[in-house]
Amino acid sequence: MKDLTVSSSEQITSDLLPQPFGRRGMIWTGTLILICIIGAFAYYRQLRYGLVVTHMRDYVSWGIYISNFVFFVAISLVGSLITAIFRLANVKWSTPLTRIAEIIAVSAIVFASLIIIVDMGRPERFLNLFLHGRVQSPIVWDVIVISTYFCISLLLLYFPLLPDLKILLRFKEKTGNALNKLYRFQGSFWTGTKEQFRISDKSINILCIVIIPVAFCIHTVTSWLFATTYRPGWDSTNFGAYFISGAFLVGAGAVVVAMYVFRRAYKLEKYITELHFEKMGRIVVLLALVYVYFNVNEYLVPAFKMKKPEEAHLVELFAGEYAPMFWFAILVGMVLPIFILLFKKGRKPLPVFIAGIMVVVGAWFKRYLIVTPTLLHPFLPMQNVPDSYRHYFPSWEEWAIAIGSLAGALLVITFFARIYPIIPIHETITEQHEKAEIE
Amino acid sequence: MSCTCGENNCNKNSRRDFLLAGLAATTALAGCGDGKNPFAPEQPVALTGEKVKLLSVNGEVIEIDRAFLKPVPDMPHLSNAEERRGIPGKKFVMVIDLARCKNLRKCQDACNHMHQVHPGQNWIKVLSMEDADHTAPYWEPTTCMHCDEPPCVKVCPVDATFKRQDGIVLIDSDRCIGCRFCMAACPYSTRVFNWDEPVLTDAVAAQPYSCETSMPQKKGTVGKCDFCPDMTRKGELPHCVSACPNGVFMFGDMIEDSVTNGAETFRFSDLIKDKAGYRLMEDLGTKPSVYYLPPVNRNFPYESGLENEKTTDAHTHSK
Amino acid sequence: MKKLRLNKYLFLAFTFLLLQQLQVAAQSDSTPAKKIIKLHYFNVNNSMQYLLLESTLKRGKVFSPQQRKAYALYLDSSTAGNLIAQLLTDENGKAKAFVPIALKAAWDATPQHTFILKEGDDEVISDYSISKAKISLDTANTDGARSIVVSVMKMDKGQWQPAKDVEMKIGVERQGSILSAGDAATYTTDSSGTVSAEYKKDKLPGDGSGNIILVAKAEDNDVFGNLVIEKKVAWGVVTKVNTTFFDQRTLWSTRFRTPYWLLLMAYSIVIGVWGAIIYLVVQLVKIKKLSKEPNALP
């Protein structure tokens, strides 16, 4: 028995060590870097010529930068869901997913901050937010909660990483000199004593408790960027809960996609098993049903009343110019995944992966629908402006920067998986031991 | 600077200079020990300290400060803090008489010209409005409402837009970070954004920036109607008020209870009561400072305004 | 033959183009520009006097001020000894001139004077004549009904005579304008040179002591130019400068006047959460310290 456990832990370790990129990994990374470079060039053009290179104008003054921002903030909530809530609830099967969720969260929140700086007309005055910040402004609230959430997520990534760093330090030949230096710098002080573990476990517990209200705050405050205005489609008391339920859904979808990709790329079938897909599939169904509930509240209730400012906006969403996108987001982003995942056959890895992609893509378009159509229905008619002010379709620079930011987020996740074990080694070993002892 | 005003305006100009001269004279006389003039503009003229002797009507010798030798004396330089505080004891208000508007767009031309607004954008919008299917269409000029509960000021993260004690809401283009939250928050869609490098004359581009003149505009910041506080400090009227040949815009001080379009002056409280003045989107609770007089007993039929309409606007009439 | 025909066509084409150019050039200058130069004389409170020059160019319907144009203003005759001032218009096309002390003798000599404006060697204005006038403003209170009595006098044969048919605005000085005292827009003096305006603006807001300024002004009168007189009276309602609206703590105030409830909420949340974060960083430091202890075993 004992021999089995010893070889098991060696087996686990060698399975979970970060692996260098294969050919596919190189192509993937290379493509992402190329997209990022194009995005950076587009941003250079924007800095040089001003925001006129976008197609945002006086009426649609917020475009896909802002909808991308909301999308990123939404995805970043997954850290609190998978890592924090599942840890606190002692959900054992979630252990392999915690680091994936956490790095998605950290990466998303970093790019949320970057894309919001890109949207600013005067990014060099960013410090004004801290020197002259008004506590009455929802943007200042957003800055506070985003920086807080970023710090907590980093800590929640770092603490469980410490035991793994100690394991990684043993494999200098496999990881290479440079990475070894990095591991040494980050975690050489971890020796794995009982006292250290005690402090670490307590800290992780505190983090898990603290991150949940902060995560709720982050997306509620982001929703208040819209709900504190008078505009039709935004002037809704439903927005906080609506955004949070959407965030949980898209976060779960993102984790499912990442699970599948890492499982295939690093051959982790033993650790991310079909059970995980079964469980995550059920969770995605639950979250999608909750999100559908909030969507019904958000759209059916104003549609019943058809107040004048909202009438044109709602008609445009249901049957007008934005109808294809709206129904796509609803059906592909929510309804179809529910149907796929309700059935046991649908909760196998591949169908769950497809459902996850549908959720994420549907969610991106949903965020676009929240931001732009409302701005095309101001209270006073759109007159005395050039024709281009009455429509909005993002320019190539905007697409380049938005897709570049998505590529950048994926790049951060990719590099993280290259450097650190994407599944916590130490916790997996501990769990195997516990299982063996029980048996 | 070309002014596209009608002949009337040049007379109005001279009348204002006249009044300014009167105010200046009293201030000058005050300097001679006549007692402080309580209604002099809060900021006195920038006195040079150098006295000049001149002949009075009666052949006597009187002394005035050299600053009054200019047709429009220089005003003293204001600090940013003073520009943010505003003129105490005043509450500026505007009354727009919809019965007189003919969509001539002289207000728009004057404002755009004097503030060097980017071509294509307008701080004043003259909208073709029709409230419901069977109600009459009319022309409605809209400026910034300078609300007493301004949603734009509430959401600004850096105090770049602020409400002053004289009721005016201004923008500090040196502070603005270009987040455009104020544009999303304003229900009157009155704010414009400098997407591009502003098109400025050399003279204006060389000026130091002042919140009160809102010039020179800066790329990547927000702009809007500012009720021309630089003009009101000098005792003059905002450019749109003087430019309108039909006297549509009336500007004044609610505390003084008086508004004027240059030619006619009314008691504000009487005017609003007699002509049933109202404010736009009252139920949103923004408490705007711009009152409208309903389009009753019109001076011109609505159709006479269509000649000035741009074809792009014709497709977007409200309702 | 062919060459001749080609040359003919070239010649026609050339002439055609030339004519077009001329037409275009002619069109841009076809609207004649008219110079509009005006002089206004001002008599303020029977004391200060000055002249205001306005120089504009009218092309079609567009008026543009003539900036930095030099003019010379003379009193009665355009000789060097009668020069009032050398004027240079500002960016609004305006210039101001005061009568210098040097011309006191000429000024006192007659009650009527002519102002002559020269641009270079041309006399642009030669017939702007002004008679000296005296304007006075008094208040009257008969049975509670207030009125303003304005009288205008002109100098005639060494004596002050009443000036009739002088049209003027009489009222209260307000922001950028004059609020008429009664119902009429203007008032005109009668044969005795006086006019009385009933003061009907009850309970008009005044300054901190209840003062208002009564103004009477005659605008661009043919004989007298512009006359204005002011008088401060205590007919207004006392209005104190009230800054409570501006000083209150609200959501739209500056960051220095944030409402207390918001400050409390924001700071307690931030202190609470960041307190936890700092505590956790301290724990990290603790972990680090533990590794240096002698009995730290893996």
Side-chain angles (χ1 to χ4, degrees), chain C residues 42-211:
Chain C
F42 288 83
N43 171 344
V44 181
N45 286 337
N46 294 319
S47 173
M48 184 159 95
Q49 62 174 355
Y50 62 91
L51 290 116
L52 192 70
L53 165 71
E54 269 184 277
S55 179
T56 29
L57 204 63
K58 179 179 174 183
R59 198 176 255 127
K61 273 192 175 178
V62 177
F63 290 82
S64 42
Q66 295 202 81
Q67 305 164 350
R68 285 181 230 312
K69 274 246 181 301
Y71 298 91
L73 186 62
Y74 297 91
L75 183 67
D76 296 327
S77 73
S78 50
T79 54
N82 283 30
L83 179 71
I84 294 177
Q86 293 281 9
L87 300 171
L88 189 68
T89 55
D90 63 7
E91 66 266 10
N92 294 330
K94 300 201 178 119
K96 204 165 164 186
F98 292 94
V99 180
I101 318 168
L103 292 174
K104 178 176 162 67
W107 180 259
D108 286 341
T110 56
Q112 193 182 31
H113 290 283
T114 308
F115 296 100
I116 299 166
L117 189 72
K118 276 175 93 168
E119 185 181 354
D121 287 323
D122 305 319
E123 276 193 5
V124 188
I125 295 176
S126 50
D127 55 355
Y128 186 60
S129 299
I130 291 295
S131 299
K132 288 184 197 170
K134 192 164 72 168
I135 184 170
S136 67
L137 191 153
D138 286 302
T139 57
N141 201 332
T142 48
D143 307 320
R146 294 178 179 152
S147 56
I148 304 169
V149 180
V150 179
S151 81
V152 185
M153 303 274 201
K154 66 171 185 241
M155 177 65 80
D156 194 17
K157 304 185 187 68
Q159 282 199 322
W160 285 110
Q161 304 288 340
K164 64 177 186 181
D165 293 330
V166 178
E167 191 184 4
M168 61 183 96
K169 284 192 177 175
I170 302 179
V172 183
E173 186 184 84
R174 299 275 93 171
Q175 171 75 32
S177 63
I178 294 177
L179 181 64
S180 187
D183 297 326
T186 55
Y187 298 86
T188 314
T189 55
D190 55 18
S191 52
S192 68
T194 56
V195 63
S196 174
E198 207 185 324
Y199 181 78
K200 287 187 178 169
K201 299 287 189 282
D202 293 328
K203 299 207 184 68
L204 197 66
D207 66 356
S209 324
N211 293 317

